[in-house]
Amino acid sequence: MSHISHLRSYQRTGESQKLTEYLASHPELDFVEQSQEHALLAMIRFLRNEQSQAMHHFHQVVEDELDDSESLADFAFCYFAVNQPAKALELLQRAALMKDASSVVHQRLGGVSLAMNKIEEAESAYKQSLLLEPERPEVLSNMGGIKLRQGDLEASLDYYTRALQLKPDLEITRNQRGQVMIALQRVDELIEEKEARLSEHPEEPTAHLELAMVLLQAERFSEAFATLDAAVDKFPDESKVRMAYVQLCFQQKMWWQAGEKLLEWSKDDPSDMNLRLLLNEARLEAGFTDTVRKDLEEIADDAAGLPKYILLQSKILVDEAKAEEALALLTEASDRFPGAVEVKYQLYEVLTSLGRLDEAEAVVQEAGLLNPSGIARRVESKGHDIDDLELEALRRVAENPVMPGPHRSGAMFTLAKVYDKRKNYSASFETVIQANDLMRSSIRYNWKAHRKAIQDLITTFTPDLVTRLQGLGHPSKRPIFITGMPRSGTTLTEQILCSHPQVYGAGELHWMTRLTRLVPKVLPNRHYPEAMNAFGREHLYGAADYYLQRIAQQNDTADYVVDKMPHNFDHIGLIALIFPNVPIIHMKRDIRDVAVSNYYQNFAAFHGLMGFAYNLEDIGHMLNDHERIMAHWHELFPGRIFELDYQELVRNPESTIRSLMDHCGLEWDKRVLKFYETKRPVRTASIRQVRQGIYTSSAEKWRRYEQYLEPLERVLADGFKTLEESVDTSTAFIAGPTL
């Protein structure tokens, strides 16, 4: 056999070790003279990532000397490797017309055509490849992908199945087939297959992973976690198992579970910076910012050049209200790591928070080229004003049945807003229904959990309790609390206030909720809110000091600090007692506008708190809870809570803002009327709106969708009822917003 025969045989069959040995034992290959040999060696070197040697052979090829289809296809691959796909396509089309064109030639033509988004040409080439070699698994798999893109799921499944019967270790093919089966609602059949494989091969980590991944694709998260948890215990040193476990924990916001394992693994291998950075990511998400800051300093010498390290540093800077420093860090990182999508999206978020929307749009456009599913962010950055081509690209993501759920739902939420912008209201609401239904399938929420919490607050916070504790709290006037239903105008009001030179806007702070969860540490065996009955002056002062220390970590110079966590409306009783002198603002807005605005917003990062927002009935229950507890607070603390009417703020901004300033004890400053010019980071769902100034287009928006709101109207009409009064008195409370 000639050199070409040996090399082509090893390369085709994937015998990399034999190929390595052959190249090592034949140094004379560096000095071949024929163009066919140079073309083949260049292709092999490119595949082995041996760039300099590949380019040496590539430049020795004389194209006119390539008189057979195999060599011409080898040379075409080289052009594709040096990012000249058009030339590669031209050579492959010539090769495919030759009489000796093999299955491999047509396969490569299909691959390059597909890469250039020429779907029909790719399909034709793959079919020709299969005519010449009907049982080539890679080509069968590629045809499965073609059919998938065309929406023919049954044909796609058939091709994938045939490919795996011939070559079971095609991992990507196996995953794609699973997604197609799920899209065809054959998930139980697929799970049975994976369980059978695990029973046959219990010592193979991949068998555990495959079952877990299928369960994950089917959105059976608790079963997927149990499978991976067992696999981690069984194969503690398998990196793929570890990373699958961590990814699932991160996806489900299970920071504590991820952190425990990552801490253990990091101690076993302190030199593994990837583990250490993942640990710090989990810590940061769980709120242990100080720990992360210290650990990043400790590993700076080894990890400072890694994108993940830079991302974590930038997030800490943003939390510390140092958005400009974060911007500089991320801009440099984006230049150093042009392919790092996470860096670009974080840069986009920071630019948007600072109101630099044109720059943010340019960055998210770049990110979208690297990650097509990022089209939703690109459209968001343009204010949903897009052309028909962009609309079609967004629809393809939204309608792709095998796209991961969060990507599809994100695209659907964005698509709904695009239709709304175009005044196609029926298409808009029907799309947002699909988006919410898709999100709701992957979260655990039951409105009864919050209803019970409200009942407990009403039972505990009585006139007698308030009389006993009134005035005993901390005298500080530094915090300003803005509360209300999400999407009621809390972000707008914060931006107005922090445009005053004495005020710092801290965003949505979780410290009041954290305070309630720390109560058992101070009063053993007592839980909030019942533990309020045991509170005295020292407990009120201790709680206030805790809160004041936390906001001082963000800003220790401004006279006032705004906390605009909307759900602090649950905690108004606690706030009023521990801080008897601070301003408390409650946002009032038409409840149907609030409902529709919540339903249209993708609160993907806040499932635990915002789980109600994915269902109109759940939104109705939350609105009923909100109305009831606010009535209770007003009764207990008459005149203490400033009711800021969103509609009035829109209609008469100056007089409304003057009343707001008076309530907060602030001298009038005309800069508060130009709040949209204030350069500060905004990190909520209202980022873009708050940069546009006060606008009226969202007033009575619900009327556009009135025909769809019957589930909401029914619950609102029913009003607030205790769980005992409700028809369904089940007490099987699932995770919802808790106190």
Side-chain angles (χ1 to χ4, degrees):
M1 291 177 66
S2 66
H3 284 316
I4 287 181
S5 298
H6 278 102
L7 292 169
R8 198 159 270 148
S9 173
Y10 296 145
Q11 188 267 325
R12 294 273 171 85
T13 56
E15 297 177 272
S16 58
Q17 185 59 39
K18 288 186 178 180
L19 183 59
T20 299
E21 292 171 358
Y22 193 87
L23 291 170
S25 61
H26 293 280
E28 69 273 16
L29 289 172
D30 289 336
F31 305 99
V32 296
E33 296 181 355
Q34 295 183 21
S35 287
Q36 286 89 345
E37 293 173 313
H38 280 299
L40 176 58
L41 284 163
M43 182 192 70
I44 289 172
R45 297 295 189 186
F46 275 125
L47 286 169
R48 293 164 61 86
N49 203 29
E50 297 167 351
Q51 299 296 318
S52 61
Q53 292 163 286
M55 293 303 295
H56 162 74
H57 290 292
F58 177 65
H59 290 306
Q60 305 304 311
V61 177
V62 178
E63 185 180 322
D64 292 342
E65 294 178 1
L66 302 176
D67 55 4
D68 66 287
S69 63
E70 295 278 349
S71 298
L72 202 58
D74 292 338
F75 196 40
F77 180 90
C78 297
Y79 271 107
F80 191 76
V82 297
N83 201 28
Q84 295 189 46
K87 178 64 175 178
L89 184 63
E90 175 201 329
L91 294 177
L92 283 165
Q93 288 170 336
R94 281 170 48 195
L97 294 174
M98 294 182 175
K99 291 183 179 180
D100 68 335
S102 68
S103 171
V104 172
V105 171
H106 291 287
Q107 180 186 353
R108 289 185 188 166
L109 174 58
V112 172
S113 299
L114 189 60
M116 297 178 71
N117 207 33
K118 298 178 180 291
I119 308 300
E120 292 181 2
E121 292 91 331
E123 182 180 12
S124 177
Y126 285 139
K127 284 182 176 178
Q128 187 61 37
S129 178
L130 288 173
L131 282 175
L132 296 170
E133 197 173 341
E135 295 192 341
R136 190 167 182 83
E138 293 82 5
V139 181
L140 289 166
S141 179
N142 290 336
M143 277 298 294
I146 291 283
K147 290 301 177 184
L148 180 57
R149 292 181 69 162
Q150 293 173 338
D152 189 345
L153 299 183
E154 293 287 356
S156 175
L157 178 61
D158 180 60
Y159 278 116
Y160 282 141
T161 301
R162 288 165 59 192
L164 289 168
Q165 287 170 346
L166 294 166
K167 194 173 182 179
D169 61 348
L170 292 173
E171 184 176 350
I172 294 176
T173 304
R174 198 162 53 247
N175 291 337
Q176 289 291 95
R177 178 179 178 272
Q179 292 182 12
V180 171
M181 289 188 74
I182 290 170
L184 288 169
Q185 298 184 353
R186 293 172 59 179
V187 63
D188 291 337
E189 178 185 340
L190 179 62
I191 291 172
E192 286 177 9
E193 288 180 12
K194 299 305 178 184
E195 288 176 337
R197 172 166 160 70
L198 180 56
S199 296
E200 293 172 10
H201 307 281
E203 299 304 319
E204 287 188 15
T206 53
H208 295 259
L209 283 174
E210 286 178 19
L211 175 58
M213 291 306 103
V214 169
L215 291 166
L216 193 56
Q217 289 170 339
E219 298 181 341
R220 290 162 60 167
F221 300 107
S222 59
E223 295 170 72
F225 178 76
T227 301
L228 285 173
D229 195 37
V232 165
D233 290 340
K234 189 175 182 66
F235 309 105
D237 299 322
E238 282 287 338
S239 60
K240 284 188 177 180
V241 174
R242 285 180 171 185
M243 289 305 102
Y245 176 90
V246 170
Q247 287 168 9
L248 176 56
C249 287
F250 277 28
Q251 180 184 343
Q252 293 297 297
K253 319 299 179 190
M254 299 164 66
W255 311 118
W256 185 265
Q257 291 90 332
E260 276 191 319
K261 293 292 186 187
L262 286 164
L263 180 59
E264 176 187 332
W265 299 334
S266 295
K267 287 179 178 178
D268 291 340
D269 186 3
S271 65
D272 190 328
M273 288 300 107
N274 181 49
L275 290 176
R276 195 80 166 262
L277 291 171
L278 286 170
L279 169 61
N280 281 303
E281 184 176 358
R283 286 168 168 166
L284 191 62
E285 293 290 349
F288 296 101
T289 306
D290 290 341
T291 304
V292 176
R293 188 185 295 107
K294 291 175 184 176
D295 202 45
L296 291 182
E297 290 175 2
E298 185 177 321
I299 63 174
D301 290 343
D302 297 316
L306 300 175
K308 178 72 74 177
Y309 182 94
I310 295 167
L311 279 170
L312 293 173
Q313 286 282 30
S314 70
K315 289 178 180 179
I316 289 175
L317 288 170
V318 169
D319 284 343
E320 293 175 341
K322 298 176 181 176
E324 294 289 351
E325 292 182 38
L327 178 61
L329 192 66
L330 290 164
T331 301
E332 181 187 357
S334 181
D335 292 338
R336 287 174 59 197
F337 307 106
V341 177
E342 283 188 72
V343 170
K344 291 194 184 298
Y345 278 135
Q346 179 68 5
L347 177 58
Y348 161 74
E349 298 288 352
V350 173
L351 284 167
T352 304
S353 76
L354 290 168
R356 295 164 64 168
L357 301 182
D358 290 341
E359 295 170 71
E361 179 178 342
V363 169
V364 85
Q365 291 275 7
E366 292 176 25
L369 294 175
L370 295 171
N371 176 15
S373 66
I375 179 69
R377 290 201 189 195
R378 193 156 75 247
V379 174
E380 293 277 358
S381 77
K382 300 176 76 170
H384 308 99
D385 188 8
I386 58 174
D387 58 33
D388 289 342
L389 286 175
E390 290 172 300
L391 174 64
E392 186 57 35
L394 185 62
R395 284 178 57 187
R396 282 199 297 271
V397 176
E399 295 171 2
N400 187 340
V402 298
M403 182 72 73
H407 293 297
R408 284 190 67 201
S409 60
M412 287 176 185
F413 277 112
T414 304
L415 186 60
K417 292 175 183 176
V418 171
Y419 286 137
D420 179 84
K421 187 102 173 181
R422 294 181 170 208
K423 299 184 179 180
N424 187 348
Y425 299 133
S426 59
S428 176
F429 209 86
E430 286 162 11
T431 301
V432 86
I433 289 173
Q434 295 178 51
N436 280 287
D437 286 349
L438 186 58
M439 286 299 296
R440 195 163 180 254
S441 68
S442 65
I443 63 175
R444 296 163 294 174
Y445 180 82
N446 190 317
W447 63 271
K448 298 181 184 68
H450 193 256
R451 180 63 50 87
K452 184 177 186 303
I454 295 300
Q455 290 178 214
D456 290 344
L457 286 170
I458 293 171
T459 300
T460 302
F461 281 86
T462 63
D464 287 343
L465 176 75
V466 172
T467 299
R468 183 173 67 81
L469 296 177
Q470 189 85 53
L472 299 182
H474 198 288
S476 174
K477 297 181 180 180
R478 192 164 193 245
I480 297 175
F481 291 91
I482 302 174
T483 70
M485 278 292 293
R487 313 296 293 165
S488 63
T490 55
T491 301
L492 172 63
T493 304
E494 180 203 30
Q495 187 74 358
I496 292 169
L497 283 172
C498 73
S499 298
H500 193 286
Q502 289 180 273
V503 181
Y504 171 78
E508 298 181 0
L509 303 179
H510 296 268
W511 300 122
M512 292 309 301
T513 298
R514 183 72 63 83
L515 244 176
T516 65
R517 293 173 181 169
L518 291 174
V519 166
K521 292 188 176 182
V522 180
L523 296 168
N525 302 316
R526 304 294 289 265
H527 294 271
Y528 184 83
E530 182 276 331
M532 292 299 300
N533 291 308
F535 263 44
R537 181 190 295 272
E538 69 277 15
H539 301 109
L540 296 175
Y541 262 74
D545 283 336
Y546 172 88
Y547 183 88
L548 292 170
Q549 288 171 19
R550 293 304 178 275
I551 63 173
Q553 291 174 351
Q554 281 195 247
N555 180 283
D556 60 358
T557 58
D559 294 330
Y560 301 93
V561 175
V562 176
D563 178 343
K564 62 156 293 260
M565 172 56 74
H567 265 279
N568 273 342
F569 68 75
D570 282 335
H571 302 310
I572 285 178
L574 179 63
I575 293 168
L577 291 176
I578 66 175
F579 289 119
N581 300 314
V582 304
I584 301 173
I585 300 154
H586 175 252
M587 299 302 303
K588 180 180 179 181
R589 185 183 179 189
D590 185 292
I591 59 173
R592 290 162 184 81
D593 276 337
V594 169
V596 169
S597 187
N598 274 274
Y599 198 57
Y600 264 79
Q601 187 62 44
N602 182 14
F603 294 101
F606 306 102
H607 285 172
L609 191 63
M610 298 301 301
F612 71 89
Y614 299 104
N615 177 270
L616 288 172
E617 291 183 352
D618 288 342
I619 293 173
H621 286 302
M622 179 59 72
L623 285 165
N624 286 337
D625 288 354
H626 169 258
E627 294 295 307
R628 179 65 186 91
I629 195 60
M630 287 310 305
H632 186 69
W633 297 141
H634 278 296
E635 183 180 345
L636 287 180
F637 304 99
R640 178 71 196 279
I641 304 163
F642 181 79
E643 286 285 332
L644 200 164
D645 189 304
Y646 179 82
Q647 275 77 16
E648 187 64 23
L649 176 62
V650 169
R651 286 192 296 263
N652 301 299
E654 182 168 349
S655 62
T656 306
I657 293 172
R658 283 185 179 275
S659 297
L660 174 65
M661 295 292 113
D662 288 343
H663 176 75
C664 295
L666 294 167
E667 294 291 331
W668 178 252
D669 190 296
K670 62 182 180 181
R671 279 172 285 190
V672 297
L673 295 177
K674 294 186 177 182
F675 60 88
Y676 46 86
E677 296 178 356
T678 302
K679 300 302 181 184
R680 59 175 286 273
V682 181
R683 299 188 294 276
T684 74
S686 307
I687 287 173
R688 182 166 290 274
Q689 292 98 314
V690 84
R691 296 299 185 191
Q692 296 173 344
I694 291 176
Y695 59 100
T696 60
S697 60
S698 64
E700 296 201 330
K701 179 179 178 178
W702 67 272
R703 294 191 182 279
R704 305 173 189 170
Y705 306 111
E706 191 169 1
Q707 61 178 310
Y708 297 98
L709 301 182
E710 189 277 332
L712 170 73
E713 297 284 8
R714 178 168 22 88
V715 175
L716 292 177
D718 204 30
F720 180 93
K721 290 182 178 179
T722 66
L723 294 174
E724 294 73 23
E725 295 170 331
S726 300
V727 174
D728 178 5
T729 59
S730 168
T731 56
F733 305 120
I734 306 174
T738 59
L739 302 176

